[in-house]
Amino acid sequence: MTDKSADTLLQNFRNKVTRNMVWAGAVTLLALTVTQLWLAHYLQAAVMFTSGIVFAAIAYTFRAQRIPNYWRLLFMVLLTAICAMSIKQNGVIGVYWAYPLLVSSFFMFRDGYAIALATTITVATSAAAIAFMELDDAWRITASLTVILVLGSVFVVMLGRMQRLLHQLVITDTLTGLQNRQRLTGVLNELLASFKRYNRSASLLMLDLDHFKLLNDKHGHLFGDQMLKQLANRLKQRLRVNDQLFRVGGEEFLVVLPETDLAEAKKVAQKLLSTVSDEPFEGKDAQVHLTVSIGVAQLRLEQSWAEWINSADTALLEAKRKGRNQVCVAEGYTEI
């Protein structure tokens, strides 16, 4: 199981894009400072130089982490002010900087924040155009900026929906609809942090469907898939609101029980054991009786999440060794 989840990788990518944009802004402004000095636009040169130094300092300071939102907002505000100054000083030529500025706003923030920022930039740039340019040119500029705003907003909304859909696909087991191993690392790390800081107990249940290979050999893999889906539904119905259920292998499931000590975890495990064995499972071509073996492990202070899972897995193997259809616990593997 990888230590870097899909969420972490995506966030790291976003942070890298943001830093590169700030670096690009810093380099561009410092280069343009020379041009403004040559044109004797000393005030604009001073603003550009100062902004370029600020941007470079921000990008360097946060080179290994996420740039906070208030620094991102400062970056966009300064660029908008420089763009307005350029429109006042250079007319239509100054408007050219408004278009990459508007597009960059969709990358600096997400969802509604990006749209709100882009709308603000559009209004500010249009106001500057109306104030310092001929009306015929100003309304054309306003219209073109509005078109970019609308198209960019649609892009941001659709991209956000696609990212949420892809995220759901990454963390979800396609057969059972349960969470998979990709999501498990983050959940366990959160419980470890809560245990170390607040001494909140937590337990794991490792479940394995007994004789699943024989079931597949006798009835076929499609029948086995039907049983796994029914098993997942039964387990979900009997778990508590805060409990989380994962499919971590072919016929292996993991139940995470927050704020649950070993005694309570045993009760939950026994309840799940009865839930599976008490009533038959209905397949398309046959009715079968299934059982599960369960290993129980409570989190200990010295354990990592990998060691915690291994404790539950070891208890599960002991339940299998003792004959299946039973619950064993990690501490001495005492049978319930």
Short mmCIF file of all heavy atoms in Angstrom, two decimals, residues 253-284:
data_model
loop_
_atom_site.label_atom_id
_atom_site.label_comp_id
_atom_site.label_asym_id
_atom_site.label_seq_id
_atom_site.Cartn_x
_atom_site.Cartn_y
_atom_site.Cartn_z
N PHE A 253 -11.96 -8.23 3.68
CA PHE A 253 -12.55 -6.94 4.01
C PHE A 253 -11.94 -6.45 5.32
O PHE A 253 -11.57 -7.25 6.18
CB PHE A 253 -14.07 -7.06 4.15
CG PHE A 253 -14.77 -7.49 2.90
CD1 PHE A 253 -14.85 -8.83 2.54
CD2 PHE A 253 -15.34 -6.55 2.05
CE1 PHE A 253 -15.49 -9.23 1.39
CE2 PHE A 253 -15.99 -6.95 0.88
CZ PHE A 253 -16.06 -8.29 0.55
N LEU A 254 -11.86 -5.14 5.45
CA LEU A 254 -11.32 -4.53 6.67
C LEU A 254 -12.34 -3.55 7.22
O LEU A 254 -12.83 -2.68 6.48
CB LEU A 254 -10.00 -3.82 6.38
CG LEU A 254 -9.28 -3.23 7.60
CD1 LEU A 254 -8.71 -4.35 8.47
CD2 LEU A 254 -8.15 -2.30 7.16
N VAL A 255 -12.65 -3.68 8.50
CA VAL A 255 -13.57 -2.75 9.17
C VAL A 255 -12.76 -1.89 10.13
O VAL A 255 -12.04 -2.41 10.98
CB VAL A 255 -14.66 -3.50 9.94
CG1 VAL A 255 -15.63 -2.51 10.59
CG2 VAL A 255 -15.43 -4.45 9.02
N VAL A 256 -12.88 -0.58 9.99
CA VAL A 256 -12.20 0.37 10.87
C VAL A 256 -13.23 0.86 11.88
O VAL A 256 -14.27 1.40 11.50
CB VAL A 256 -11.61 1.54 10.07
CG1 VAL A 256 -10.95 2.54 11.01
CG2 VAL A 256 -10.62 1.03 9.03
N LEU A 257 -12.91 0.70 13.16
CA LEU A 257 -13.83 1.06 14.24
C LEU A 257 -13.22 2.19 15.07
O LEU A 257 -12.44 1.95 16.00
CB LEU A 257 -14.09 -0.16 15.14
CG LEU A 257 -14.59 -1.44 14.43
CD1 LEU A 257 -14.68 -2.58 15.44
CD2 LEU A 257 -15.94 -1.19 13.78
N PRO A 258 -13.55 3.45 14.77
CA PRO A 258 -13.02 4.57 15.57
C PRO A 258 -13.61 4.56 16.98
O PRO A 258 -14.74 4.13 17.20
CB PRO A 258 -13.48 5.81 14.79
CG PRO A 258 -13.92 5.30 13.46
CD PRO A 258 -14.38 3.90 13.67
N GLU A 259 -12.81 5.03 17.93
CA GLU A 259 -13.23 5.17 19.33
C GLU A 259 -13.88 3.88 19.84
O GLU A 259 -14.94 3.91 20.47
CB GLU A 259 -14.18 6.37 19.48
CG GLU A 259 -13.53 7.69 19.05
CD GLU A 259 -14.37 8.90 19.39
OE1 GLU A 259 -15.28 8.76 20.22
OE2 GLU A 259 -14.12 9.98 18.83
N THR A 260 -13.22 2.78 19.57
CA THR A 260 -13.74 1.46 19.96
C THR A 260 -12.62 0.65 20.60
O THR A 260 -11.58 0.44 19.97
CB THR A 260 -14.27 0.71 18.73
OG1 THR A 260 -15.25 1.51 18.07
CG2 THR A 260 -14.90 -0.62 19.14
N ASP A 261 -12.83 0.22 21.85
CA ASP A 261 -11.81 -0.61 22.49
C ASP A 261 -11.99 -2.07 22.10
O ASP A 261 -12.91 -2.43 21.34
CB ASP A 261 -11.86 -0.44 24.01
CG ASP A 261 -13.21 -0.83 24.61
OD1 ASP A 261 -13.97 -1.57 23.96
OD2 ASP A 261 -13.50 -0.38 25.74
N LEU A 262 -11.13 -2.92 22.63
CA LEU A 262 -11.12 -4.32 22.22
C LEU A 262 -12.42 -5.04 22.59
O LEU A 262 -12.95 -5.82 21.78
CB LEU A 262 -9.93 -5.04 22.87
CG LEU A 262 -9.65 -6.46 22.39
CD1 LEU A 262 -9.35 -6.48 20.90
CD2 LEU A 262 -8.51 -7.08 23.17
N ALA A 263 -12.95 -4.76 23.76
CA ALA A 263 -14.17 -5.44 24.19
C ALA A 263 -15.34 -5.10 23.27
O ALA A 263 -16.12 -5.98 22.87
CB ALA A 263 -14.50 -5.05 25.64
N GLU A 264 -15.48 -3.83 22.93
CA GLU A 264 -16.56 -3.43 22.03
C GLU A 264 -16.33 -3.98 20.63
O GLU A 264 -17.27 -4.37 19.94
CB GLU A 264 -16.66 -1.90 22.00
CG GLU A 264 -17.83 -1.36 21.18
CD GLU A 264 -19.19 -1.77 21.75
OE1 GLU A 264 -19.26 -2.01 22.97
OE2 GLU A 264 -20.15 -1.85 20.96
N ALA A 265 -15.05 -3.99 20.20
CA ALA A 265 -14.74 -4.53 18.88
C ALA A 265 -15.10 -6.01 18.78
O ALA A 265 -15.56 -6.48 17.73
CB ALA A 265 -13.25 -4.33 18.58
N LYS A 266 -14.91 -6.75 19.86
CA LYS A 266 -15.30 -8.17 19.87
C LYS A 266 -16.81 -8.33 19.65
O LYS A 266 -17.24 -9.21 18.91
CB LYS A 266 -14.93 -8.80 21.23
CG LYS A 266 -13.45 -8.97 21.46
CD LYS A 266 -13.25 -9.57 22.85
CE LYS A 266 -11.79 -9.70 23.21
NZ LYS A 266 -11.60 -10.25 24.57
N LYS A 267 -17.58 -7.45 20.28
CA LYS A 267 -19.04 -7.52 20.12
C LYS A 267 -19.44 -7.25 18.68
O LYS A 267 -20.31 -7.92 18.12
CB LYS A 267 -19.71 -6.52 21.07
CG LYS A 267 -19.51 -6.82 22.54
CD LYS A 267 -20.19 -5.74 23.39
CE LYS A 267 -19.95 -6.00 24.88
NZ LYS A 267 -20.58 -4.94 25.72
N VAL A 268 -18.80 -6.24 18.08
CA VAL A 268 -19.10 -5.91 16.68
C VAL A 268 -18.72 -7.08 15.78
O VAL A 268 -19.48 -7.47 14.87
CB VAL A 268 -18.35 -4.64 16.25
CG1 VAL A 268 -18.56 -4.37 14.76
CG2 VAL A 268 -18.79 -3.43 17.06
N ALA A 269 -17.56 -7.68 16.03
CA ALA A 269 -17.11 -8.82 15.22
C ALA A 269 -18.08 -9.99 15.33
O ALA A 269 -18.41 -10.64 14.33
CB ALA A 269 -15.72 -9.23 15.66
N GLN A 270 -18.53 -10.28 16.53
CA GLN A 270 -19.45 -11.39 16.73
C GLN A 270 -20.79 -11.13 16.03
O GLN A 270 -21.39 -12.03 15.45
CB GLN A 270 -19.68 -11.62 18.23
CG GLN A 270 -20.36 -12.93 18.54
CD GLN A 270 -19.50 -14.13 18.13
OE1 GLN A 270 -18.36 -14.26 18.58
NE2 GLN A 270 -20.04 -14.99 17.28
N LYS A 271 -21.21 -9.88 16.06
CA LYS A 271 -22.46 -9.51 15.38
C LYS A 271 -22.34 -9.71 13.88
O LYS A 271 -23.25 -10.23 13.22
CB LYS A 271 -22.80 -8.05 15.70
CG LYS A 271 -24.10 -7.58 15.08
CD LYS A 271 -24.46 -6.17 15.54
CE LYS A 271 -23.45 -5.15 15.09
NZ LYS A 271 -23.87 -3.76 15.44
N LEU A 272 -21.18 -9.32 13.31
CA LEU A 272 -20.96 -9.50 11.88
C LEU A 272 -20.86 -10.99 11.52
O LEU A 272 -21.34 -11.41 10.46
CB LEU A 272 -19.68 -8.77 11.44
CG LEU A 272 -19.70 -7.25 11.58
CD1 LEU A 272 -18.38 -6.66 11.10
CD2 LEU A 272 -20.86 -6.63 10.80
N LEU A 273 -20.25 -11.74 12.40
CA LEU A 273 -20.13 -13.18 12.16
C LEU A 273 -21.52 -13.81 12.03
O LEU A 273 -21.78 -14.61 11.12
CB LEU A 273 -19.35 -13.83 13.32
CG LEU A 273 -18.81 -15.23 13.09
CD1 LEU A 273 -17.57 -15.20 12.21
CD2 LEU A 273 -18.46 -15.88 14.43
N SER A 274 -22.42 -13.44 12.94
CA SER A 274 -23.78 -13.98 12.91
C SER A 274 -24.56 -13.45 11.71
O SER A 274 -25.37 -14.18 11.12
CB SER A 274 -24.51 -13.61 14.21
OG SER A 274 -23.84 -14.13 15.34
N THR A 275 -24.31 -12.21 11.35
CA THR A 275 -24.99 -11.63 10.20
C THR A 275 -24.74 -12.43 8.93
O THR A 275 -25.64 -12.63 8.10
CB THR A 275 -24.52 -10.17 9.98
OG1 THR A 275 -24.89 -9.39 11.12
CG2 THR A 275 -25.13 -9.57 8.73
N VAL A 276 -23.52 -12.92 8.79
CA VAL A 276 -23.16 -13.67 7.59
C VAL A 276 -23.70 -15.10 7.65
O VAL A 276 -24.25 -15.62 6.67
CB VAL A 276 -21.63 -13.69 7.41
CG1 VAL A 276 -21.24 -14.57 6.21
CG2 VAL A 276 -21.10 -12.28 7.23
N SER A 277 -23.57 -15.75 8.79
CA SER A 277 -23.86 -17.19 8.86
C SER A 277 -25.33 -17.52 9.12
O SER A 277 -25.78 -18.63 8.80
CB SER A 277 -23.01 -17.84 9.97
OG SER A 277 -23.31 -17.26 11.24
N ASP A 278 -26.11 -16.60 9.65
CA ASP A 278 -27.48 -16.93 10.07
C ASP A 278 -28.43 -17.15 8.91
O ASP A 278 -29.36 -17.96 9.01
CB ASP A 278 -28.03 -15.83 10.99
CG ASP A 278 -27.43 -15.89 12.38
OD1 ASP A 278 -26.70 -16.87 12.66
OD2 ASP A 278 -27.67 -14.97 13.19
N GLU A 279 -28.24 -16.42 7.82
CA GLU A 279 -29.17 -16.52 6.69
C GLU A 279 -28.41 -16.88 5.41
O GLU A 279 -27.29 -16.39 5.19
CB GLU A 279 -29.92 -15.21 6.48
CG GLU A 279 -30.82 -14.83 7.65
CD GLU A 279 -31.59 -13.55 7.39
OE1 GLU A 279 -31.53 -13.06 6.23
OE2 GLU A 279 -32.22 -13.04 8.32
N PRO A 280 -28.99 -17.70 4.54
CA PRO A 280 -28.31 -18.08 3.30
C PRO A 280 -28.21 -16.92 2.32
O PRO A 280 -28.97 -15.95 2.40
CB PRO A 280 -29.19 -19.21 2.75
CG PRO A 280 -30.55 -18.93 3.31
CD PRO A 280 -30.31 -18.34 4.68
N PHE A 281 -27.29 -17.05 1.39
CA PHE A 281 -27.10 -16.06 0.34
C PHE A 281 -27.78 -16.58 -0.93
O PHE A 281 -27.63 -17.74 -1.30
CB PHE A 281 -25.61 -15.83 0.08
CG PHE A 281 -24.93 -15.02 1.15
CD1 PHE A 281 -24.71 -15.55 2.41
CD2 PHE A 281 -24.50 -13.73 0.90
CE1 PHE A 281 -24.07 -14.82 3.40
CE2 PHE A 281 -23.86 -12.97 1.87
CZ PHE A 281 -23.65 -13.52 3.13
N GLU A 282 -28.50 -15.68 -1.60
CA GLU A 282 -29.25 -16.07 -2.79
C GLU A 282 -28.47 -15.69 -4.05
O GLU A 282 -28.25 -14.50 -4.33
CB GLU A 282 -30.62 -15.38 -2.80
CG GLU A 282 -31.52 -15.74 -1.64
CD GLU A 282 -32.05 -17.17 -1.76
OE1 GLU A 282 -31.99 -17.74 -2.88
OE2 GLU A 282 -32.53 -17.70 -0.73
N GLY A 283 -28.04 -16.69 -4.81
CA GLY A 283 -27.41 -16.45 -6.09
C GLY A 283 -28.40 -16.65 -7.21
O GLY A 283 -29.54 -17.08 -6.99
N LYS A 284 -27.98 -16.38 -8.43
CA LYS A 284 -28.87 -16.53 -9.57
C LYS A 284 -29.25 -17.99 -9.79
O LYS A 284 -30.40 -18.30 -10.15
CB LYS A 284 -28.19 -15.98 -10.82
CG LYS A 284 -29.05 -16.02 -12.06
CD LYS A 284 -28.34 -15.40 -13.25
CE LYS A 284 -29.21 -15.45 -14.50
NZ LYS A 284 -28.55 -14.86 -15.69
#
